[in-house]
Amino acid sequence: MRKFILALMLNSLAAASVLADGAAIGGDKKGVGQEMEIQIKGQFKGRLLVKNIVAPVTMNLEKLQDFPEDPAQKILLDTLPTSQSAEFNARREIKGHAPFWPWIPPVAEPPFLRIVPPKKVQIISWMFEVLNPEGRTIFRQRSTHGLPDELLWEGKDSEFKFAVVDRLYAAQLTLMTPDEKVVVIPGDTIILPAMAYSSEKAETIEVSLGRLFNKGTAEISPEGSLMISKICESMRERGLRNAHIRIAQQEEALAAQREGTLVEAMRKALRLPASLLEHDHVKDISRGQIAVLWLKAGM
């Protein structure tokens, strides 16, 4: 490369001298050579370092396994699919002449979660747990005796408090074999948009306000209409005519509007006089923003 540039420079000087001589011969008094531009074109060889492209969003799989509140909670709280055939088969025996809609999922009743242990497995101990969305154990049952045919969760935690609507709960069974190996069997998960606790002559139903009403309004949502239809169907089947309805929500004005809307919807669906439907609203949301219905037989 250097030899090439040096040769060009010598050629340029030679050409300049020739032009100068020519100019002098031609009678140029100044004796200055003509200007000349020389463009040198070459190639540059180098190295271009290309790094791996970093994704703008990353996901922590370990965090997702622990049921995080964000960002997966919004996805996990979506309506879960229900089996229409299973619902129809479960309600084959219809009591009385009450209307029945087999495509409407029923209000969940205990037991909410269950695990059927494997058969013919030798173990020295077992532990049945229910986990909340943060991955903490809220219910635990353990023993060193043989496994029962079925393990059930009735909806209470270790402090005998009831489950909360619109939260994800997961069952898990842990077995320890004679060779001290630990086997973890994951069970089903459940989200309860509404749940009922029943006795012979009364029933308590809790419904998530986020499912019952459209967001920020007192308008009943399509899902809420189905829930009300299912609640009224259950009341007719069991002969429950008296109800006390309570809206638990911090926004008092919106709570009062929702209270009136729900009472009117229940009254029309059940065709009951207003005197049989007591109602109020409170700011206590210790169990979440819910509608509580205490149902009992008529006097």
Side-chain angles (χ1 to χ4, degrees):
M1 190 70 177
R2 292 180 181 178
K3 293 181 180 180
F4 176 72
I5 297 174
L6 182 58
L8 288 176
M9 292 177 64
L10 292 175
N11 292 335
S12 300
L13 292 175
S17 62
V18 171
L19 290 173
D21 294 341
I25 295 173
D28 189 0
K29 296 180 179 179
K30 294 182 180 180
V32 180
Q34 295 181 356
E35 294 182 358
M36 184 176 63
E37 292 183 0
I38 299 176
Q39 295 182 357
I40 301 176
K41 296 183 179 180
Q43 295 181 352
F44 172 76
K45 294 183 179 180
R47 294 180 179 179
L48 181 62
L49 180 61
V50 179
K51 297 183 178 180
N52 292 332
I53 299 176
V54 180
V57 178
T58 58
M59 299 183 69
N60 189 335
L61 296 179
E62 294 182 357
K63 245 181 121 183
L64 289 178
Q65 293 176 358
D66 294 335
F67 309 107
E69 291 287 348
D70 290 318
Q73 188 67 9
K74 294 181 181 179
I75 300 175
L76 294 174
L77 287 181
D78 287 343
T79 306
L80 296 178
T82 57
S83 172
Q84 296 181 6
S85 60
E87 160 67 2
F88 185 82
N89 293 332
R91 302 295 298 273
R92 286 177 297 180
E93 297 181 1
I94 303 175
K95 300 177 182 178
H97 301 284
F100 170 60
W101 299 275
W103 56 86
I104 302 177
V107 178
E109 296 185 9
F112 297 123
L113 286 173
R114 67 181 69 208
I115 288 183
V116 178
K119 304 295 184 181
K120 298 179 180 180
V121 177
Q122 293 184 353
I123 61 169
I124 58 175
S125 66
W126 58 268
M127 180 171 60
F128 174 58
E129 296 175 293
V130 175
L131 311 177
N132 67 3
E134 290 79 25
R136 293 194 296 267
T137 300
I138 64 167
F139 175 82
R140 180 181 288 116
Q141 181 182 359
R142 64 175 71 184
S143 176
T144 56
H145 300 288
L147 280 165
D149 294 334
E150 192 175 33
L151 294 164
L152 305 174
W153 180 53
E154 301 288 341
K156 295 183 180 180
D157 60 16
S158 300
E159 298 178 356
F160 299 101
K161 295 179 181 179
F162 287 108
V164 180
V165 296
D166 253 351
R167 299 198 75 190
L168 177 71
Y169 295 98
Q172 177 178 285
L173 176 62
T174 304
L175 306 176
M176 180 171 287
T177 59
D179 55 357
E180 297 186 353
K181 289 184 179 180
V182 176
V183 179
V184 178
I185 302 174
D188 295 332
T189 60
I190 189 172
I191 297 176
L192 304 166
M195 57 184 178
Y197 300 98
S198 304
S199 61
E200 292 183 359
K201 296 183 179 180
E203 185 175 43
T204 300
I205 298 177
E206 294 183 353
V207 185
S208 167
L209 293 182
R211 304 295 188 101
L212 194 58
F213 296 95
N214 291 326
K215 185 177 181 180
T217 70
E219 180 183 0
I220 295 177
S221 66
E223 184 179 4
S225 299
L226 296 179
M227 290 181 178
I228 292 174
S229 298
K230 209 65 178 181
I231 292 171
C232 294
E233 174 193 325
S234 177
M235 291 180 65
R236 285 189 289 264
E237 289 181 356
R238 302 185 58 187
L240 305 176
R241 294 176 53 83
N242 287 21
H244 186 109
I245 302 171
R246 171 171 293 174
I247 302 293
Q249 184 176 345
Q250 288 185 337
E251 298 85 351
E252 187 172 1
L254 182 58
Q257 294 175 3
R258 287 178 168 179
E259 174 190 341
T261 302
L262 180 57
V263 169
E264 182 63 18
M266 295 281 294
R267 187 188 67 80
K268 288 183 178 180
L270 294 170
R271 299 180 181 179
L272 293 176
S275 58
L276 296 181
L277 296 176
E278 300 178 356
H279 50 91
D280 61 5
H281 59 273
V282 296
K283 294 184 178 181
D284 180 16
I285 58 171
S286 56
R287 292 189 52 76
Q289 301 195 49
I290 58 175
V292 186
L293 294 85
W294 291 284
L295 312 174
K296 59 182 179 179
M299 300 301 294

